[in-house]
Amino acid sequence: MESAAAPAPVPDDDSTAPSFLRVERPQEWSRDFSLRSEAMRLARLHARTRFAMMAWPGDQENATQVVVELMKNAIEHVGPQRPQGQLVLDLIVADDETLQIAVTDPNPAFPDFLTAITAQKNTGLANIRELGGETTWRPSDDGDTKTVQVLIRHPSPAADSH
């Protein structure tokens, strides 16, 4: 199932750009996927499309790779235990252009999280760190699922000019 939040209204007093050039924030998008390997390909396609539609100004290729790594990790580590389970991919672009990528899977545990994010070898979460992502996780309140979340902060134009 795919869903997108209704766009936030653009303030009437923002006359710095024509209305067709202004980007509305925040923006959200969500979709369910099966816990099968084809979900990685589908998530990649959807993410690329959504990053462009959301006009996220960060590195969209790196962000797409983060989506693929999160989906791959869930499929490899959760899929064999819960093959009939579902993954939920959420993409959110905040007012400050921070991108939040979240994957929720049907396993509430993440036994070696600290080892995974600090690994120096070629692992999914180490790759995400190299791509500029800040990774966290949390179990759901009901204890049935967990969400692995990555924040990618987009530097402000003022920071880019220094």
Side-chain angles (χ1 to χ4, degrees):
M1 176 176 192
E2 185 173 332
S3 66
V10 177
D12 291 334
D13 61 350
D14 184 7
S15 60
T16 59
S19 62
F20 63 89
L21 294 178
R22 285 181 273 168
V23 178
E24 298 171 358
R25 293 290 186 252
Q27 289 187 9
E28 300 179 19
W29 176 83
S30 183
R31 184 164 194 276
D32 296 354
F33 294 90
S34 67
L35 255 168
R36 292 182 286 212
S37 60
E38 65 266 13
M40 287 186 295
R41 181 183 61 78
L42 291 171
R44 177 186 296 119
L45 292 171
H46 282 287
R48 282 185 176 169
T49 301
R50 288 297 160 179
F51 295 146
M53 290 176 67
M54 292 173 155
W56 183 63
D59 188 325
Q60 294 183 15
E61 285 301 315
N62 282 356
T64 301
Q65 188 58 40
V66 168
V67 168
V68 170
E69 292 288 350
L70 287 175
M71 296 293 285
K72 179 180 171 184
N73 279 353
I75 290 164
E76 287 178 1
H77 298 288
V78 178
Q81 302 152 4
R82 294 178 171 83
Q84 302 305 316
Q86 292 286 306
L87 299 174
V88 179
L89 172 63
D90 293 297
L91 305 175
I92 300 170
V93 179
D95 290 332
D96 67 354
E97 301 298 346
T98 296
L99 174 64
Q100 175 184 321
I101 302 168
V103 172
T104 301
D105 68 56
N107 181 354
F110 201 141
D112 293 320
F113 176 74
L114 290 178
T115 302
I117 64 166
T118 59
Q120 298 303 312
K121 60 182 179 170
N122 191 21
T123 65
L125 295 184
N127 291 343
I128 289 170
R129 184 184 65 238
E130 293 297 317
L131 293 169
E134 302 168 23
T135 307
T136 58
W137 80 279
R138 68 183 182 286
S140 63
D141 291 340
D142 63 11
D144 290 340
T145 64
K146 76 169 165 295
T147 300
V148 179
Q149 173 182 291
V150 175
L151 295 179
I152 302 175
R153 301 184 192 284
H154 181 69
S156 69
D160 290 342
S161 65
H162 294 285

PDB file of all heavy atoms in Angstrom, residues 116-145:
ATOM      1  N   ALA A 116      27.007  -3.287  14.537  1.00  0.00           N
ATOM      2  CA  ALA A 116      26.692  -3.072  13.120  1.00  0.00           C
ATOM      3  C   ALA A 116      26.971  -1.638  12.674  1.00  0.00           C
ATOM      4  O   ALA A 116      27.514  -1.424  11.590  1.00  0.00           O
ATOM      5  CB  ALA A 116      25.235  -3.436  12.849  1.00  0.00           C
ATOM      6  N   ILE A 117      26.618  -0.638  13.488  1.00  0.00           N
ATOM      7  CA  ILE A 117      26.817   0.743  13.042  1.00  0.00           C
ATOM      8  C   ILE A 117      28.257   1.208  13.188  1.00  0.00           C
ATOM      9  O   ILE A 117      28.658   2.167  12.549  1.00  0.00           O
ATOM     10  CB  ILE A 117      25.862   1.751  13.728  1.00  0.00           C
ATOM     11  CG1 ILE A 117      26.110   1.839  15.220  1.00  0.00           C
ATOM     12  CG2 ILE A 117      24.430   1.452  13.400  1.00  0.00           C
ATOM     13  CD1 ILE A 117      25.443   3.023  15.868  1.00  0.00           C
ATOM     14  N   THR A 118      29.031   0.540  14.047  1.00  0.00           N
ATOM     15  CA  THR A 118      30.430   0.953  14.221  1.00  0.00           C
ATOM     16  C   THR A 118      31.404   0.073  13.451  1.00  0.00           C
ATOM     17  O   THR A 118      32.615   0.302  13.510  1.00  0.00           O
ATOM     18  CB  THR A 118      30.816   0.946  15.713  1.00  0.00           C
ATOM     19  OG1 THR A 118      30.631  -0.370  16.238  1.00  0.00           O
ATOM     20  CG2 THR A 118      29.994   1.952  16.490  1.00  0.00           C
ATOM     21  N   ALA A 119      30.904  -0.893  12.717  1.00  0.00           N
ATOM     22  CA  ALA A 119      31.773  -1.825  11.979  1.00  0.00           C
ATOM     23  C   ALA A 119      32.655  -1.064  10.996  1.00  0.00           C
ATOM     24  O   ALA A 119      32.228  -0.105  10.364  1.00  0.00           O
ATOM     25  CB  ALA A 119      30.930  -2.851  11.239  1.00  0.00           C
ATOM     26  N   GLN A 120      33.880  -1.479  10.898  1.00  0.00           N
ATOM     27  CA  GLN A 120      34.809  -0.884   9.949  1.00  0.00           C
ATOM     28  C   GLN A 120      34.816  -1.632   8.622  1.00  0.00           C
ATOM     29  O   GLN A 120      35.384  -1.170   7.655  1.00  0.00           O
ATOM     30  CB  GLN A 120      36.224  -0.864  10.539  1.00  0.00           C
ATOM     31  CG  GLN A 120      36.336  -0.039  11.800  1.00  0.00           C
ATOM     32  CD  GLN A 120      35.882   1.400  11.608  1.00  0.00           C
ATOM     33  OE1 GLN A 120      36.283   2.058  10.660  1.00  0.00           O
ATOM     34  NE2 GLN A 120      35.020   1.874  12.494  1.00  0.00           N
ATOM     35  N   LYS A 121      34.186  -2.800   8.615  1.00  0.00           N
ATOM     36  CA  LYS A 121      34.151  -3.580   7.382  1.00  0.00           C
ATOM     37  C   LYS A 121      32.939  -3.205   6.549  1.00  0.00           C
ATOM     38  O   LYS A 121      32.103  -2.393   6.952  1.00  0.00           O
ATOM     39  CB  LYS A 121      34.167  -5.068   7.700  1.00  0.00           C
ATOM     40  CG  LYS A 121      32.999  -5.528   8.544  1.00  0.00           C
ATOM     41  CD  LYS A 121      33.103  -6.983   8.872  1.00  0.00           C
ATOM     42  CE  LYS A 121      31.891  -7.348   9.734  1.00  0.00           C
ATOM     43  NZ  LYS A 121      31.757  -8.739   9.932  1.00  0.00           N
ATOM     44  N   ASN A 122      32.831  -3.808   5.411  1.00  0.00           N
ATOM     45  CA  ASN A 122      31.783  -3.509   4.452  1.00  0.00           C
ATOM     46  C   ASN A 122      30.462  -4.155   4.870  1.00  0.00           C
ATOM     47  O   ASN A 122      30.123  -5.236   4.402  1.00  0.00           O
ATOM     48  CB  ASN A 122      32.232  -3.998   3.074  1.00  0.00           C
ATOM     49  CG  ASN A 122      31.335  -3.490   1.973  1.00  0.00           C
ATOM     50  OD1 ASN A 122      30.631  -2.509   2.147  1.00  0.00           O
ATOM     51  ND2 ASN A 122      31.359  -4.160   0.846  1.00  0.00           N
ATOM     52  N   THR A 123      29.723  -3.489   5.743  1.00  0.00           N
ATOM     53  CA  THR A 123      28.395  -3.956   6.149  1.00  0.00           C
ATOM     54  C   THR A 123      27.377  -2.895   5.743  1.00  0.00           C
ATOM     55  O   THR A 123      27.739  -1.751   5.458  1.00  0.00           O
ATOM     56  CB  THR A 123      28.299  -4.177   7.670  1.00  0.00           C
ATOM     57  OG1 THR A 123      28.441  -2.906   8.322  1.00  0.00           O
ATOM     58  CG2 THR A 123      29.363  -5.143   8.168  1.00  0.00           C
ATOM     59  N   GLY A 124      26.110  -3.271   5.729  1.00  0.00           N
ATOM     60  CA  GLY A 124      25.071  -2.334   5.324  1.00  0.00           C
ATOM     61  C   GLY A 124      25.052  -1.057   6.130  1.00  0.00           C
ATOM     62  O   GLY A 124      25.029   0.045   5.583  1.00  0.00           O
ATOM     63  N   LEU A 125      25.060  -1.179   7.463  1.00  0.00           N
ATOM     64  CA  LEU A 125      24.986   0.019   8.293  1.00  0.00           C
ATOM     65  C   LEU A 125      26.290   0.816   8.276  1.00  0.00           C
ATOM     66  O   LEU A 125      26.276   2.040   8.394  1.00  0.00           O
ATOM     67  CB  LEU A 125      24.573  -0.339   9.716  1.00  0.00           C
ATOM     68  CG  LEU A 125      23.147  -0.904   9.847  1.00  0.00           C
ATOM     69  CD1 LEU A 125      22.797  -1.145  11.306  1.00  0.00           C
ATOM     70  CD2 LEU A 125      22.115  -0.019   9.181  1.00  0.00           C
ATOM     71  N   ALA A 126      27.429   0.142   8.095  1.00  0.00           N
ATOM     72  CA  ALA A 126      28.696   0.870   7.927  1.00  0.00           C
ATOM     73  C   ALA A 126      28.673   1.646   6.612  1.00  0.00           C
ATOM     74  O   ALA A 126      29.143   2.793   6.553  1.00  0.00           O
ATOM     75  CB  ALA A 126      29.879  -0.090   7.977  1.00  0.00           C
ATOM     76  N   ASN A 127      28.116   1.048   5.561  1.00  0.00           N
ATOM     77  CA  ASN A 127      27.987   1.751   4.281  1.00  0.00           C
ATOM     78  C   ASN A 127      27.094   2.982   4.426  1.00  0.00           C
ATOM     79  O   ASN A 127      27.387   4.041   3.859  1.00  0.00           O
ATOM     80  CB  ASN A 127      27.407   0.827   3.208  1.00  0.00           C
ATOM     81  CG  ASN A 127      28.357  -0.269   2.806  1.00  0.00           C
ATOM     82  OD1 ASN A 127      29.559  -0.199   3.064  1.00  0.00           O
ATOM     83  ND2 ASN A 127      27.821  -1.300   2.174  1.00  0.00           N
ATOM     84  N   ILE A 128      26.024   2.853   5.180  1.00  0.00           N
ATOM     85  CA  ILE A 128      25.122   3.984   5.410  1.00  0.00           C
ATOM     86  C   ILE A 128      25.863   5.113   6.112  1.00  0.00           C
ATOM     87  O   ILE A 128      25.716   6.284   5.762  1.00  0.00           O
ATOM     88  CB  ILE A 128      23.872   3.530   6.194  1.00  0.00           C
ATOM     89  CG1 ILE A 128      22.982   2.678   5.285  1.00  0.00           C
ATOM     90  CG2 ILE A 128      23.109   4.714   6.767  1.00  0.00           C
ATOM     91  CD1 ILE A 128      21.842   1.983   5.992  1.00  0.00           C
ATOM     92  N   ARG A 129      26.673   4.777   7.100  1.00  0.00           N
ATOM     93  CA  ARG A 129      27.470   5.790   7.800  1.00  0.00           C
ATOM     94  C   ARG A 129      28.384   6.509   6.808  1.00  0.00           C
ATOM     95  O   ARG A 129      28.510   7.734   6.835  1.00  0.00           O
ATOM     96  CB  ARG A 129      28.273   5.157   8.922  1.00  0.00           C
ATOM     97  CG  ARG A 129      29.047   6.161   9.758  1.00  0.00           C
ATOM     98  CD  ARG A 129      29.923   5.518  10.811  1.00  0.00           C
ATOM     99  NE  ARG A 129      30.972   4.729  10.171  1.00  0.00           N
ATOM    100  CZ  ARG A 129      31.178   3.427  10.356  1.00  0.00           C
ATOM    101  NH1 ARG A 129      30.419   2.738  11.175  1.00  0.00           N
ATOM    102  NH2 ARG A 129      32.143   2.790   9.729  1.00  0.00           N
ATOM    103  N   GLU A 130      29.030   5.748   5.918  1.00  0.00           N
ATOM    104  CA  GLU A 130      29.921   6.338   4.915  1.00  0.00           C
ATOM    105  C   GLU A 130      29.172   7.266   3.961  1.00  0.00           C
ATOM    106  O   GLU A 130      29.756   8.199   3.421  1.00  0.00           O
ATOM    107  CB  GLU A 130      30.637   5.239   4.121  1.00  0.00           C
ATOM    108  CG  GLU A 130      31.610   4.431   4.950  1.00  0.00           C
ATOM    109  CD  GLU A 130      32.759   5.268   5.499  1.00  0.00           C
ATOM    110  OE1 GLU A 130      33.304   6.100   4.751  1.00  0.00           O
ATOM    111  OE2 GLU A 130      33.095   5.098   6.685  1.00  0.00           O
ATOM    112  N   LEU A 131      27.896   7.009   3.768  1.00  0.00           N
ATOM    113  CA  LEU A 131      27.074   7.843   2.890  1.00  0.00           C
ATOM    114  C   LEU A 131      26.517   9.070   3.616  1.00  0.00           C
ATOM    115  O   LEU A 131      25.766   9.846   3.030  1.00  0.00           O
ATOM    116  CB  LEU A 131      25.926   7.018   2.306  1.00  0.00           C
ATOM    117  CG  LEU A 131      26.342   5.908   1.347  1.00  0.00           C
ATOM    118  CD1 LEU A 131      25.170   4.982   1.051  1.00  0.00           C
ATOM    119  CD2 LEU A 131      26.907   6.493   0.055  1.00  0.00           C
ATOM    120  N   GLY A 132      26.873   9.245   4.878  1.00  0.00           N
ATOM    121  CA  GLY A 132      26.451  10.422   5.637  1.00  0.00           C
ATOM    122  C   GLY A 132      25.206  10.229   6.464  1.00  0.00           C
ATOM    123  O   GLY A 132      24.656  11.204   6.987  1.00  0.00           O
ATOM    124  N   GLY A 133      24.753   9.003   6.617  1.00  0.00           N
ATOM    125  CA  GLY A 133      23.536   8.753   7.378  1.00  0.00           C
ATOM    126  C   GLY A 133      23.794   8.542   8.854  1.00  0.00           C
ATOM    127  O   GLY A 133      24.795   7.965   9.250  1.00  0.00           O
ATOM    128  N   GLU A 134      22.879   9.022   9.681  1.00  0.00           N
ATOM    129  CA  GLU A 134      22.895   8.808  11.131  1.00  0.00           C
ATOM    130  C   GLU A 134      21.807   7.779  11.430  1.00  0.00           C
ATOM    131  O   GLU A 134      20.629   8.057  11.258  1.00  0.00           O
ATOM    132  CB  GLU A 134      22.589  10.102  11.878  1.00  0.00           C
ATOM    133  CG  GLU A 134      23.546  11.237  11.571  1.00  0.00           C
ATOM    134  CD  GLU A 134      23.029  12.567  12.116  1.00  0.00           C
ATOM    135  OE1 GLU A 134      22.205  12.567  13.069  1.00  0.00           O
ATOM    136  OE2 GLU A 134      23.439  13.598  11.572  1.00  0.00           O
ATOM    137  N   THR A 135      22.218   6.596  11.877  1.00  0.00           N
ATOM    138  CA  THR A 135      21.278   5.480  12.033  1.00  0.00           C
ATOM    139  C   THR A 135      20.888   5.271  13.487  1.00  0.00           C
ATOM    140  O   THR A 135      21.747   5.260  14.367  1.00  0.00           O
ATOM    141  CB  THR A 135      21.911   4.180  11.490  1.00  0.00           C
ATOM    142  OG1 THR A 135      22.366   4.402  10.155  1.00  0.00           O
ATOM    143  CG2 THR A 135      20.912   3.041  11.499  1.00  0.00           C
ATOM    144  N   THR A 136      19.594   5.085  13.703  1.00  0.00           N
ATOM    145  CA  THR A 136      19.050   4.718  15.017  1.00  0.00           C
ATOM    146  C   THR A 136      17.990   3.643  14.778  1.00  0.00           C
ATOM    147  O   THR A 136      17.595   3.387  13.637  1.00  0.00           O
ATOM    148  CB  THR A 136      18.391   5.919  15.728  1.00  0.00           C
ATOM    149  OG1 THR A 136      17.340   6.445  14.904  1.00  0.00           O
ATOM    150  CG2 THR A 136      19.408   7.014  16.027  1.00  0.00           C
ATOM    151  N   TRP A 137      17.544   3.037  15.870  1.00  0.00           N
ATOM    152  CA  TRP A 137      16.440   2.086  15.761  1.00  0.00           C
ATOM    153  C   TRP A 137      15.618   2.136  17.032  1.00  0.00           C
ATOM    154  O   TRP A 137      16.082   2.611  18.074  1.00  0.00           O
ATOM    155  CB  TRP A 137      16.948   0.670  15.484  1.00  0.00           C
ATOM    156  CG  TRP A 137      17.449  -0.061  16.701  1.00  0.00           C
ATOM    157  CD1 TRP A 137      18.678   0.079  17.284  1.00  0.00           C
ATOM    158  CD2 TRP A 137      16.727  -1.003  17.488  1.00  0.00           C
ATOM    159  NE1 TRP A 137      18.767  -0.733  18.379  1.00  0.00           N
ATOM    160  CE2 TRP A 137      17.584  -1.416  18.523  1.00  0.00           C
ATOM    161  CE3 TRP A 137      15.461  -1.554  17.415  1.00  0.00           C
ATOM    162  CZ2 TRP A 137      17.203  -2.348  19.492  1.00  0.00           C
ATOM    163  CZ3 TRP A 137      15.083  -2.482  18.368  1.00  0.00           C
ATOM    164  CH2 TRP A 137      15.953  -2.872  19.386  1.00  0.00           C
ATOM    165  N   ARG A 138      14.373   1.645  16.909  1.00  0.00           N
ATOM    166  CA  ARG A 138      13.491   1.570  18.074  1.00  0.00           C
ATOM    167  C   ARG A 138      12.453   0.482  17.843  1.00  0.00           C
ATOM    168  O   ARG A 138      11.988   0.297  16.726  1.00  0.00           O
ATOM    169  CB  ARG A 138      12.812   2.913  18.334  1.00  0.00           C
ATOM    170  CG  ARG A 138      11.816   3.298  17.268  1.00  0.00           C
ATOM    171  CD  ARG A 138      11.188   4.671  17.481  1.00  0.00           C
ATOM    172  NE  ARG A 138      10.214   4.973  16.471  1.00  0.00           N
ATOM    173  CZ  ARG A 138      10.468   5.300  15.207  1.00  0.00           C
ATOM    174  NH1 ARG A 138      11.701   5.352  14.788  1.00  0.00           N
ATOM    175  NH2 ARG A 138       9.484   5.564  14.370  1.00  0.00           N
ATOM    176  N   PRO A 139      12.122  -0.245  18.917  1.00  0.00           N
ATOM    177  CA  PRO A 139      11.020  -1.206  18.798  1.00  0.00           C
ATOM    178  C   PRO A 139       9.697  -0.436  18.861  1.00  0.00           C
ATOM    179  O   PRO A 139       9.620   0.661  19.418  1.00  0.00           O
ATOM    180  CB  PRO A 139      11.200  -2.098  20.022  1.00  0.00           C
ATOM    181  CG  PRO A 139      11.928  -1.242  21.012  1.00  0.00           C
ATOM    182  CD  PRO A 139      12.770  -0.280  20.222  1.00  0.00           C
ATOM    183  N   SER A 140       8.662  -1.034  18.300  1.00  0.00           N
ATOM    184  CA  SER A 140       7.342  -0.403  18.375  1.00  0.00           C
ATOM    185  C   SER A 140       6.814  -0.506  19.798  1.00  0.00           C
ATOM    186  O   SER A 140       7.270  -1.332  20.597  1.00  0.00           O
ATOM    187  CB  SER A 140       6.370  -1.080  17.401  1.00  0.00           C
ATOM    188  OG  SER A 140       6.191  -2.436  17.769  1.00  0.00           O
ATOM    189  N   ASP A 141       5.849   0.324  20.113  1.00  0.00           N
ATOM    190  CA  ASP A 141       5.247   0.304  21.449  1.00  0.00           C
ATOM    191  C   ASP A 141       4.615  -1.044  21.776  1.00  0.00           C
ATOM    192  O   ASP A 141       4.652  -1.486  22.917  1.00  0.00           O
ATOM    193  CB  ASP A 141       4.198   1.408  21.578  1.00  0.00           C
ATOM    194  CG  ASP A 141       4.820   2.794  21.592  1.00  0.00           C
ATOM    195  OD1 ASP A 141       6.045   2.915  21.884  1.00  0.00           O
ATOM    196  OD2 ASP A 141       4.096   3.769  21.290  1.00  0.00           O
ATOM    197  N   ASP A 142       4.042  -1.712  20.776  1.00  0.00           N
ATOM    198  CA  ASP A 142       3.398  -3.001  21.031  1.00  0.00           C
ATOM    199  C   ASP A 142       4.388  -4.167  21.013  1.00  0.00           C
ATOM    200  O   ASP A 142       4.028  -5.297  21.302  1.00  0.00           O
ATOM    201  CB  ASP A 142       2.262  -3.257  20.039  1.00  0.00           C
ATOM    202  CG  ASP A 142       2.729  -3.344  18.595  1.00  0.00           C
ATOM    203  OD1 ASP A 142       3.953  -3.411  18.335  1.00  0.00           O
ATOM    204  OD2 ASP A 142       1.851  -3.330  17.710  1.00  0.00           O
ATOM    205  N   GLY A 143       5.663  -3.903  20.668  1.00  0.00           N
ATOM    206  CA  GLY A 143       6.680  -4.945  20.683  1.00  0.00           C
ATOM    207  C   GLY A 143       6.631  -5.913  19.520  1.00  0.00           C
ATOM    208  O   GLY A 143       7.309  -6.929  19.530  1.00  0.00           O
ATOM    209  N   ASP A 144       5.865  -5.583  18.474  1.00  0.00           N
ATOM    210  CA  ASP A 144       5.738  -6.490  17.331  1.00  0.00           C
ATOM    211  C   ASP A 144       6.713  -6.188  16.197  1.00  0.00           C
ATOM    212  O   ASP A 144       6.988  -7.056  15.371  1.00  0.00           O
ATOM    213  CB  ASP A 144       4.318  -6.438  16.762  1.00  0.00           C
ATOM    214  CG  ASP A 144       3.303  -7.072  17.694  1.00  0.00           C
ATOM    215  OD1 ASP A 144       3.704  -7.870  18.573  1.00  0.00           O
ATOM    216  OD2 ASP A 144       2.105  -6.754  17.557  1.00  0.00           O
ATOM    217  N   THR A 145       7.193  -4.961  16.119  1.00  0.00           N
ATOM    218  CA  THR A 145       8.053  -4.550  15.004  1.00  0.00           C
ATOM    219  C   THR A 145       9.187  -3.674  15.514  1.00  0.00           C
ATOM    220  O   THR A 145       9.224  -3.310  16.684  1.00  0.00           O
ATOM    221  CB  THR A 145       7.260  -3.735  13.959  1.00  0.00           C
ATOM    222  OG1 THR A 145       6.807  -2.522  14.566  1.00  0.00           O
ATOM    223  CG2 THR A 145       6.077  -4.518  13.400  1.00  0.00           C
TER     224      THR A 145
END
